[in-house]
Amino acid sequence: MKVGILGGGQLGRMLLQAAANYTVDTYVLENDPECPAAHLCHHFTKGDITGFEAVYAFGKGLDAITIEIESVNVEALEKLEQEGVKIYPSPAAIRIIKNKIIQKQFYQDHGIPSAAFIVTQNKADTEAQSHFLPAVHKIAEGGYDGKGVQVLNDAGDFEKAFDAPGVLEKKVAIKKEIALIVAMNDAGATAIYPAAEMMVNPALNLLDYQISPALLPDKVIWAAEAIAIKLVKALKSPGLFAVEMFVDQNDTIWVNETAPRVHNSGHHTIEANHCSQYDMLWRIILQYPLGNTAPILPAAIINIIGAEGYSGVAAYDGLEEVLKIDNAFVHLYGKKLTKPGRKMGHVTVLHSSYHDLNHKANKIKNLLKVTAS
């Protein structure tokens, strides 16, 4: 089977590592021939995943295509789908999710609990909504890894607003942030991974580290799972979906946003669950039975992020010490150059005790630093 991946970053790299377990001929489309996934695929094509001609030419002759990031050319995928290429997830689902305005309206239309919002067209439009503060301004398209999101607490923050279409979302009093990964196959059967609790770096607005399964009351977990499955079924698309949620001070669940692909919040599943999120996506694409999502042990993920003040060829201070820690699994993404805030890898650590798990996670966080040689 010939399967293409749009995007060759760290997620594509890990998806290709999992492909070694299956009989599949892999293709990658990416602009950077030095990208993390380039040397792992069978066939690499240099090209723009947002360009119609590049995506369409890449997809012709393939049996199936999946994505590493949602900012892809949907029109080309729609044409390929009409010509018989299987797309995971469907172009219709990608179209809904890749635009924050359409995504929020989808939640509203399908009774998915999400924070109140106002659609804004430009900076002046946003500045007229001072009555709606405090709020979070999200650019409609192009946001990724914390970029494209600004917290506006008062009128003095309007200078940070985007001068482009977006949504102004009412700020939720967050107690915890969680993510649930849902798999759905072509027949509509679903499997769901245990919720992961995410600790977000407030300065970079991206994942710092996380714990899974999340420590929450059963009724909160059940509510979150029900909402996540309802959302994925409403998308009517096979594939793998990461549903990010807020739990507020009253234990009410609010959907933050959805990713139509393998996700950073599921990295731990490689070692911590019977079937990883990457294996699960291959099972869906290859029409195999859905895998077992049960955890083997509680896990923590610690993101390896480029340190402030360092740009250049990456050097990993403290790596040898981390490698000495029991049940710690280091994943470097093969990125040669580092810069402040750039994701360079992650470490997964397993332990039966949540207390010891948190201790090890914090130890790794303080030991490992990405500098420049």
Side-chain angles (χ1 to χ4, degrees):
M1 187 174 185
K2 298 178 180 179
V3 179
I5 302 171
L6 297 182
Q10 65 264 25
L11 294 171
R13 177 190 176 97
M14 284 180 275
L15 192 56
L16 286 165
Q17 288 170 335
N21 298 323
Y22 303 95
T23 304
V24 60
D25 201 16
T26 56
Y27 297 70
V28 166
L29 178 68
E30 169 64 55
N31 249 335
D32 180 9
E34 299 295 320
C35 69
H39 70 289
L40 290 176
C41 63
H42 296 109
H43 311 276
F44 179 82
T45 301
K46 186 178 185 299
D48 182 4
I49 63 172
T50 67
F52 179 92
E53 293 300 333
V55 173
Y56 180 66
F58 173 75
K60 286 184 70 68
L62 297 182
D63 298 304
I65 294 174
T66 191
I67 63 171
E68 185 207 45
I69 187 170
E70 46 269 40
S71 57
V72 297
N73 192 286
V74 178
E75 292 77 12
L77 292 178
E78 288 170 337
K79 185 170 175 58
L80 289 165
E81 185 180 52
Q82 290 166 5
E83 295 176 1
V85 180
K86 300 284 287 184
I87 313 294
Y88 297 92
S90 70
I94 298 172
R95 188 177 288 281
I96 290 167
I97 291 171
K98 73 177 291 192
N99 185 295
K100 294 292 193 300
I101 297 171
I102 299 172
Q103 187 180 148
K104 289 288 289 187
Q105 290 170 336
F106 173 84
Y107 297 154
Q108 189 176 69
D109 294 345
H110 289 84
I112 305 295
S114 188
F117 70 100
I118 296 172
V119 175
T120 59
Q121 297 302 325
N122 49 45
K123 196 167 199 172
D125 193 12
T126 308
E127 290 173 346
Q129 312 299 333
S130 57
H131 64 284
F132 205 67
L133 301 182
V136 179
H137 200 214
K138 298 179 179 180
I139 198 165
E141 293 200 22
Y144 188 69
D145 272 355
K147 300 174 181 66
V149 177
Q150 290 289 354
V151 177
L152 310 179
N153 288 310
D154 53 48
D157 288 334
F158 277 131
E159 64 181 34
K160 299 187 292 184
F162 301 105
D163 196 19
V167 290
L168 191 64
E169 189 176 274
K170 195 69 177 174
K171 196 174 178 183
V172 174
I174 302 168
K175 181 165 70 176
K176 291 192 175 185
E177 293 189 45
I178 61 173
L180 293 95
I181 294 172
V182 182
M184 188 162 80
N185 65 16
D186 285 82
T190 58
I192 190 165
Y193 286 86
E197 181 183 349
M198 303 182 292
M199 288 71 172
V200 175
N201 184 312
L204 299 173
N205 197 33
L206 55 82
L207 183 68
D208 204 353
Y209 76 100
Q210 71 173 39
I211 300 288
S212 180
L215 291 171
L216 287 166
D218 286 346
K219 65 178 184 179
V220 177
I221 295 293
W222 296 336
E225 290 178 344
I227 292 166
I229 289 175
K230 179 182 178 181
L231 191 164
V232 170
K233 284 188 172 291
L235 287 167
K236 299 178 181 177
S237 168
L240 199 77
F241 301 86
V243 184
E244 298 181 43
M245 300 174 165
F246 298 137
V247 181
D248 72 11
Q249 300 299 327
N250 299 313
D251 282 345
T252 302
I253 304 292
W254 304 90
V255 172
N256 177 25
E257 56 190 45
T258 304
R261 52 178 169 78
V262 291
H263 195 253
N264 295 337
S265 64
H267 284 333
H268 65 284
T269 60
I270 297 170
E271 289 90 15
N273 296 70
H274 290 283
C275 177
S276 77
Q277 66 166 345
Y278 305 99
D279 277 312
M280 185 70 83
L281 183 55
W282 284 117
R283 283 171 172 261
I284 293 167
I285 293 169
L286 298 171
Q287 308 290 310
Y288 291 165
L290 296 177
N292 180 0
T293 60
I296 298 167
L297 280 174
I301 297 172
I302 305 92
N303 265 351
I304 305 172
I305 299 170
E308 195 67 35
Y310 294 92
S311 295
V313 177
Y316 297 88
D317 297 348
L319 180 59
E320 188 171 339
E321 306 309 313
V322 171
L323 289 169
K324 293 176 183 176
I325 297 173
D326 289 342
N327 285 339
F329 303 88
V330 178
H331 297 263
L332 301 181
Y333 297 155
K335 298 176 180 178
K336 293 180 180 179
L337 301 179
T338 184
K339 61 182 179 180
R342 189 181 194 196
K343 284 196 295 189
M344 303 298 291
H346 73 271
V347 181
T348 300
V349 60
L350 310 180
H351 205 288
S352 57
S353 161
Y354 278 85
H355 178 271
D356 289 339
L357 193 62
N358 275 294
H359 173 74
K360 284 189 174 183
N362 280 296
K363 181 178 180 180
I364 292 166
K365 187 172 180 291
N366 290 318
L367 272 176
L368 194 52
K369 182 178 180 181
V370 187
T371 60
S373 60

